[in-house]
Amino acid sequence: MEIFVKAKDYIKSSFDELINNVKWPTRSELTSSAVVVLIASLLLALVVFAMDQAFEFVVTSIYKLLF
């Protein structure tokens, strides 16, 4: 039964840490972080799209030359 006591103590200490020690971000901090992630994701998607288009162009050009 000691395992249940340890589990209970662990859950209590985790809850206490989340309530009293964790610094939760403000709404404006969350908003700015979300905007940064959105912009970075869009830029990465554009880079991958450009690479895909370039690769398609090269492969198509080589294919047309050979066949």
Side-chain angles (χ1 to χ4, degrees):
M1 292 296 174
E2 184 177 321
I3 193 165
F4 294 116
V5 173
K6 286 183 179 181
K8 180 180 157 188
D9 289 342
Y10 176 77
I11 291 171
K12 277 185 177 181
S13 64
S14 297
F15 182 78
D16 182 57
E17 176 133 1
L18 283 172
I19 297 299
N20 298 317
N21 296 338
V22 174
K23 180 191 175 293
W24 296 100
T26 63
R27 181 175 284 279
S28 63
E29 290 172 335
L30 284 175
T31 303
S32 13
S33 295
V35 169
V36 168
V37 169
L38 179 64
I39 292 171
S41 298
L42 289 174
L43 287 175
L44 184 62
L46 287 173
V47 167
V48 170
F49 177 75
M51 290 171 57
D52 180 52
Q53 293 299 310
F55 183 72
E56 179 184 0
F57 175 75
V58 169
V59 170
T60 304
S61 299
I62 292 172
Y63 185 75
K64 284 182 182 177
L65 285 174
L66 295 176
F67 301 104

